[in-house]
Amino acid sequence: MTASTDIIDSEPESWFHRNQQAIAPWLFLAPGILFFVVYVIAPVFQSFNLSLYQWDGLGQAEYIGLRNYEDLYYEWVDRDAFYVSLKNNLIWLVLYLLAIPAGLFIALLLNQTVFGIRLYKSLFFFPFVISQVVVGLVFTWFYDPTFGLLNQMIGVFGLGPINVLGNEHLVTYGIIAAGLWPQTAYCMILYLTGLNAVDPEQIEAGRLDGAKGAKMLWYIVLPQLRPATFIAFVVTIIGALRSFDLISVMTQGGPFGSSRVLAYYMFEVALSEYGFRMGYGAAIAVVLFLIMMCFIVYFLWSMYREEKGH
Amino acid sequence: MHSMTKRTLAALAACTALSAPAAAQVSGDLSIFLDTSNPAPRATMEAMIERFGEKNPDLNIEVTVIDREAYKTQIRNFLTANAPDVATWYAANRMKPYVDAGLFEDVSDLWAEPMFENDLKSTRGAMTIDGKQWGVPYTYYQWGVYYRKDIFDELGLSEPTTWEEEKANCEKIVASGRACYTIGTKFLWTAGGWFDYLNMRTNGYDFHNQLANGEISWEDDRVKQTFANWKELIDMGAFIDNHQTYSWQEALPFMVNGEATAYLMGNFAVAPLRDAGLTDDQLDFYQFVEITPGVEKAEDAPTDTFHIPSAAKNKEAAREFLRFVASPEEQTIINNGKNLGQLPVNSKSTVDDDKFLQKGFVMLSENSPGGVAQFWDRDAPAEMAKVSMEGFQEFMVKPDSLDKVLSKLERARGRIYK
């Protein structure tokens, strides 16, 4: 026993021992970094590379330079599929954000202690739990032009029938409305947890100073909910950009392609039954990536600023 | 575990068989991939493979059934990575990517055999690319107009044979508060069927083929004539409203409830219509009418096929299997009313005495001098099929946008065919 401790004491400290503090975090991070590099970073660069080729996924890939992007540009000029997809993406981005105020409103409504409040909360949270595919199906039936509930309802007022999913101008809004249902629930949960952390003393102080209603909300509660708002913003933007399942279930991009967004168009071009233009799909993915990058950079920057502030 | 024991047993059997090989029997392993995932076709296929196994007891057959839709994307992976010995697919342009990539085996040798040479003539063209044959068909079915005979009787209409009669009938049907045709274009291909017929009847089979091969401009006056004919029907209110929201199955109730009187469809529509309660007295079939007098009638008859992947390991057994599938006896069994309920590809086999199959068989063998097309999305390259069918749907919803649609298709033609 004593002999062994003597040996350790006498020997010089190993390199690992000396640098333990610095190495340990990297060791713990290593598995995560490895997977992130292999499954996220590398495919990003692969996509960039692939977008310069013409490839059907089977034969030889042919290098064609920027021709895929040129085709995208002409689709834009001709107001073709790419233009429609990009336009719809913008509509999604803007309207999907409605989930944030709606979520906040419901959270404020539910943030009270009455009998059975847990049940109400679960009911409001329910749409987020069920699969997007189910949400899509439910709304497809809801919108159905012959027997759908929507047309039955507006029929009472002598209106309609309107075919929401069959109308090129309405279809995107119809799908966004379906998407808002689960997304609002998600934002609501974020705000409910946020509201738990609101400092009652500040509320008390505000009340003493005569703040109530909207003023209380705007000047006392909302500033304290900033972290929740930030996260809600992030998940909603990302949700809007990757809106895919609802479109796939409800319309398959139709009628005549008017409800496509970039993510769906990419899938259609590269992977669907009539697709397999891998290079072109990759080019669309690159465009989508660049749009997302704007938001990602903004998010990272504001997080970094936040951390520095503390 | 179960399949393990089965394999070992089969291996043992194969060992003993080596000492005494029987004539015309094949041995080893045979792996078959099927896309016939619906219950009835699946049972048919499995029973057929079982019969093949009984004939070749030394063969260890392994069957994999893949969901029909998933199969369409998976085939690209398994042909390159993990090829079976036999795989199902479709004829004509649909097999071209795999033929071009060298993934399908050339089976011209089979087609040189007397049975294929003489009895499978009708589908030879659909299996040929670059003068060689790349697979063997196992079933096909007719397209045409399925209509409500009772409603026709009620309105005093008879089966039309000319375009004028067709339109006159339709006018009376619309006047009675019904739509002439039900259709669901949500998944686009149903509109392709209408285009096939209107264009083949207006301009003929050869023109139609040239258009599918990108040799003719979409802004050609003859193409515009096809759409002008189509527009006559649309303007009349011939098609049901909101068809862009329905799948082909969701469009069936309109016909069952009598809100629409006819359906341009493949023979597979008969089963669900019967299941929905229509009797054979209420339901009947006629060949799509003549439009331009003198143009030879051509029909859509999509063919489903078996292929041998180039990377198959037991090609000898695979070829024997294809011979077996195309044989008159098997063709009679698998295509009868209890099984696939479609038409046999071998002219020596007998057609089930189902009314619609009989009519279809006569139509395809006697009244289709112009030729047999596969279907728009199998004859045209996949990309062109997609863009054009979207255009057809847009045209059906907004007939006035025709010029815009055609110029879009013409641009796509410039890009797709090189």
Side-chain angles (χ1 to χ4, degrees):
Chain A
M1 202 59 183
T2 41
S4 62
T5 38
D6 282 345
I7 290 166
I8 288 171
D9 283 342
S10 62
E11 260 183 344
E13 247 188 321
S14 73
W15 179 83
F16 177 76
H17 246 102
R18 268 180 286 122
N19 298 296
Q20 218 172 10
Q21 287 279 330
I23 295 172
W26 289 107
L27 273 180
F28 283 114
L29 279 174
I33 291 180
L34 182 76
F35 280 93
F36 191 70
V37 167
V38 172
Y39 291 110
V40 178
I41 304 291
V44 168
F45 286 99
Q46 274 183 326
S47 297
F48 270 104
N49 184 40
L50 189 58
S51 71
L52 304 177
Y53 287 84
Q54 181 174 358
W55 186 42
D56 66 355
L58 288 174
Q60 275 294 316
E62 184 195 341
Y63 181 80
I64 52 165
L66 291 174
R67 252 237 319 279
N68 283 328
Y69 294 96
E70 207 182 303
D71 281 353
L72 279 182
Y73 170 75
Y74 282 112
E75 277 198 28
W76 167 266
V77 174
D78 294 334
R79 311 257 152 141
D80 214 337
F82 178 65
Y83 173 84
V84 174
S85 313
L86 206 59
K87 192 185 83 181
N88 283 338
N89 253 129
L90 284 180
I91 300 178
W92 269 89
L93 272 177
V94 173
L95 289 186
Y96 218 47
L97 289 176
L98 285 178
I100 298 175
L104 175 66
F105 177 77
I106 297 174
L108 291 171
L109 183 77
L110 292 179
N111 191 37
Q112 47 187 317
T113 39
V114 291
F115 177 73
I117 191 69
R118 283 186 178 213
L119 178 68
Y120 303 139
K121 280 182 185 170
S122 336
L123 284 179
F124 273 99
F125 189 56
F126 177 67
F128 184 68
V129 179
I130 56 178
S131 148
Q132 292 265 311
V133 177
V134 178
V135 173
L137 273 179
V138 167
F139 268 82
T140 309
W141 294 327
F142 175 70
Y143 288 138
D144 187 286
T146 36
F147 59 81
L149 200 57
L150 176 73
N151 281 309
Q152 306 279 353
M153 274 167 12
I154 61 174
V156 174
F157 303 101
L159 297 169
I162 49 169
N163 183 3
V164 177
L165 296 183
N167 182 310
E168 58 190 304
H169 303 295
L170 292 178
V171 60
T172 296
Y173 301 100
I175 301 175
I176 294 174
L180 280 175
W181 191 40
Q183 191 64 27
T184 303
Y186 193 12
C187 292
M188 176 203 81
I189 275 292
L190 290 173
Y191 277 120
L192 273 177
T193 38
L195 283 171
N196 277 336
V198 167
D199 185 3
E201 282 181 19
Q202 288 193 30
I203 305 272
E204 200 66 19
R207 204 164 275 155
L208 284 178
D209 288 339
K212 54 183 160 191
K215 274 204 167 151
M216 172 76 97
L217 177 68
W218 188 254
Y219 291 106
I220 313 281
V221 179
L222 272 189
Q224 295 190 63
L225 286 176
R226 260 200 64 153
T229 310
F230 180 72
I231 295 293
F233 188 63
V234 172
V235 295
T236 307
I237 290 286
I238 292 174
L241 282 172
R242 32 170 244 189
S243 48
F244 173 87
D245 13 21
L246 283 175
I247 295 169
S248 174
V249 170
M250 294 173 76
T251 62
Q252 300 239 323
F256 35 92
S258 35
S259 63
R260 281 190 187 110
V261 294
L262 286 178
Y264 190 79
Y265 188 37
M266 172 186 75
F267 163 81
E268 226 177 33
V269 165
L271 300 166
S272 75
E273 188 181 344
Y274 302 112
F276 300 114
R277 296 163 72 197
M278 298 298 176
Y280 201 58
I284 300 169
V286 167
V287 173
L288 185 59
F289 175 78
L290 292 178
I291 298 174
M292 283 200 173
M293 207 59 198
C294 299
F295 288 100
I296 293 171
V297 166
Y298 166 73
F299 293 146
L300 289 179
W301 178 68
S302 47
M303 271 201 269
Y304 174 75
R305 216 183 33 175
E306 197 95 324
E307 297 238 318
K308 266 192 125 182
H310 284 297
Chain B
M1 205 58 218
H2 178 68
S3 71
M4 274 286 272
T5 35
K6 232 166 93 183
R7 269 189 182 190
T8 348
L9 281 176
L12 274 174
C15 284
T16 47
L18 274 177
S19 50
Q25 277 198 0
V26 283
S27 56
D29 293 323
L30 180 72
S31 117
I32 303 174
F33 280 17
L34 301 174
D35 70 343
T36 49
S37 56
N38 291 333
R42 179 179 182 148
T44 305
M45 286 298 172
E46 281 171 350
M48 178 183 76
I49 291 166
E50 207 165 290
R51 287 193 294 277
F52 182 65
E54 279 164 18
K55 274 187 135 181
N56 298 280
D58 302 339
L59 195 63
N60 175 36
I61 306 176
E62 212 172 301
V63 180
T64 310
V65 183
I66 299 168
D67 173 74
R68 199 173 174 86
E69 292 306 311
Y71 192 95
K72 289 172 183 168
T73 47
Q74 284 186 21
I75 185 171
R76 306 176 76 87
N77 298 335
F78 69 65
L79 282 183
T80 44
N82 170 31
D85 298 305
V86 176
T88 51
W89 193 236
Y90 311 101
N93 235 318
R94 260 303 175 84
M95 62 180 186
K96 197 166 188 295
Y98 308 103
V99 172
D100 287 348
L103 293 171
F104 278 164
E105 170 99 349
D106 174 6
V107 291
S108 303
D109 52 321
L110 277 180
W111 285 85
E113 293 171 12
M115 180 182 83
F116 286 88
E117 179 107 57
N118 303 323
D119 307 338
L120 270 79
K121 246 188 230 141
S122 59
T123 47
R124 190 189 182 99
M127 302 310 302
T128 306
I129 290 178
D130 300 333
K132 295 175 189 149
Q133 287 78 43
W134 302 94
V136 166
Y138 64 89
T139 187
Y140 71 142
Y141 52 89
Q142 83 268 20
W143 269 64
V145 183
Y146 295 84
Y147 72 101
R148 285 285 299 270
K149 197 173 174 15
D150 50 339
I151 299 179
F152 266 50
D153 290 343
E154 182 195 319
L155 299 174
L157 307 174
S158 55
E159 284 186 11
T161 52
T162 65
W163 187 233
E164 296 311 318
E165 286 170 23
E166 178 83 36
K167 284 185 291 184
N169 274 358
C170 188
E171 244 156 39
K172 286 190 193 132
I173 294 167
V174 172
S176 77
R178 300 178 176 98
C180 308
Y181 316 105
T182 183
I183 184 173
T185 59
K186 182 176 180 186
F187 297 98
L188 306 175
W189 55 268
T190 46
W194 271 95
F195 178 73
D196 268 344
Y197 274 100
L198 286 163
N199 196 39
M200 284 195 292
R201 291 291 188 271
T202 309
N203 297 310
Y205 176 78
D206 292 330
F207 178 89
H208 190 63
N209 238 343
Q210 284 167 344
L211 187 66
N213 290 326
E215 291 157 25
I216 288 171
S217 163
W218 281 91
E219 286 165 318
D220 190 292
D221 281 340
R222 289 168 292 178
V223 178
K224 285 188 176 157
Q225 184 54 46
T226 299
F227 282 97
N229 291 338
W230 200 343
K231 192 163 184 291
E232 280 187 88
L233 294 182
I234 298 169
D235 289 347
M236 213 185 272
F239 298 98
I240 58 165
D241 292 333
N242 299 320
H243 55 77
Q244 70 270 36
T245 345
Y246 302 119
S247 66
W248 76 267
Q249 293 99 328
E250 286 167 330
L252 288 166
F254 294 98
M255 181 146 163
V256 176
N257 301 336
E259 291 162 50
T261 50
Y263 205 170
L264 177 66
M265 245 310 138
N267 197 55
F268 52 82
V270 171
L273 285 173
R274 279 183 182 147
D275 288 345
L278 292 183
T279 63
D280 278 11
D281 294 331
Q282 290 173 295
L283 196 61
D284 212 343
F285 173 83
Y286 66 84
Q287 186 173 16
F288 198 93
V289 299
E290 175 183 86
I291 295 181
T292 308
V295 166
E296 286 191 326
K297 281 185 180 166
E299 295 297 321
D300 266 343
T303 309
D304 292 349
T305 53
F306 274 116
H307 301 267
I308 305 177
S310 312
K313 292 183 197 73
N314 196 349
K315 290 181 181 170
E316 197 200 337
R319 281 193 160 75
E320 193 54 40
F321 180 70
L322 296 191
R323 280 188 203 108
F324 176 79
V325 169
S327 67
E329 306 84 48
E330 280 305 317
Q331 278 299 306
T332 306
I333 300 173
I334 65 170
N335 285 302
N336 73 18
K338 275 190 234 98
N339 289 311
L340 296 177
Q342 296 184 358
L343 296 170
V345 292
N346 190 314
S347 59
K348 288 250 167 68
S349 41
T350 36
V351 182
D352 193 79
D353 37 272
D354 174 88
K355 160 170 138 184
F356 297 100
L357 289 179
Q358 285 293 342
K359 285 196 174 193
F361 184 72
V362 172
M363 179 177 83
L364 287 172
S365 51
E366 290 164 25
N367 285 330
S368 174
V372 171
Q374 285 301 310
F375 197 74
W376 183 247
D377 70 353
R378 299 185 189 182
D379 288 326
E383 214 186 320
M384 190 70 227
K386 169 81 180 167
V387 180
S388 54
M389 293 191 304
E390 221 166 79
F392 302 156
Q393 190 196 35
E394 181 166 3
F395 167 71
M396 285 186 77
V397 177
K398 300 187 298 179
D400 294 329
S401 65
L402 178 63
D403 288 338
K404 203 186 98 197
V405 169
L406 288 183
S407 78
K408 197 178 188 175
L409 297 192
E410 181 57 19
R411 274 204 309 278
R413 183 178 81 100
R415 178 167 51 80
I416 293 165
Y417 306 90
K418 270 177 256 152

